[in-house]
Amino acid sequence: TTPVVLNGISCKDAFALSPDGDLRRCKSTASASIGSVKDIPAGSWISLYKGGALRRVEVAKPMAMNGYSCKGYHNYFHENGQLMKCQLGEDKEIDKTLHKAGAFLCWDNKGKPVADCKMIGKEILD
């Protein structure tokens, strides 16, 4: 019923731990910064890899993630911190192609664009 700090993130209402006792996922109660993603707002769902790297961020409003405005529930990261999948929070022109807000963009673990986000499924499900 009251916030508890786990792995440096203030959590409340629900959280999940790994078998080793490390934070796996929680609903934040305060702004948090993990790796290159700064100021994740309170009320966001944050998921972490076993080593503590950011795995997923679920946000109600668009926010900056590795140079892109991302929103919603499908914002995933590779364990090395590279953005894996982002639901655009605003229109974005990339290489003379306009991607509309709400579209999904995906990248491999080196930051190279992946044309079809369906090719990224295994990393998200692991």
Side-chain angles (χ1 to χ4, degrees):
T1 59
T2 61
V4 61
V5 177
L6 302 165
N7 294 74
I9 300 171
S10 179
C11 303
K12 185 179 173 191
D13 297 333
F15 63 88
L17 302 176
S18 72
D20 296 334
D22 292 326
L23 180 64
R24 185 164 178 241
R25 174 178 163 83
C26 85
K27 185 175 181 183
S28 65
T29 63
S31 177
S33 295
I34 304 166
S36 63
V37 181
K38 307 299 182 203
D39 300 319
I40 301 167
S44 301
W45 282 93
I46 298 171
S47 299
L48 304 174
Y49 285 100
K50 185 176 181 177
L54 186 61
R55 182 179 187 134
R56 181 180 182 187
V57 178
E58 302 170 50
V59 292
K61 295 179 181 177
M63 66 166 286
M65 295 185 199
N66 293 21
Y68 293 86
S69 173
C70 304
K71 68 176 182 179
Y73 304 97
H74 300 286
N75 305 299
Y76 293 89
F77 294 81
H78 293 281
E79 199 163 357
N80 67 3
Q82 289 286 339
L83 192 56
M84 180 189 305
K85 184 175 185 178
C86 164
Q87 183 177 12
L88 290 176
E90 59 188 35
D91 293 353
K92 175 86 173 174
E93 186 174 329
I94 303 169
D95 296 329
K96 299 182 183 178
T97 300
L98 180 64
H99 300 272
K100 294 292 213 173
F104 292 98
L105 297 179
C106 295
W107 300 266
D108 66 16
N109 63 1
K110 295 187 179 6
K112 182 180 175 192
V114 174
D116 184 0
C117 284
K118 292 177 186 156
M119 300 297 292
I120 301 257
K122 183 184 180 309
E123 295 89 345
I124 293 172
L125 296 174
D126 283 349

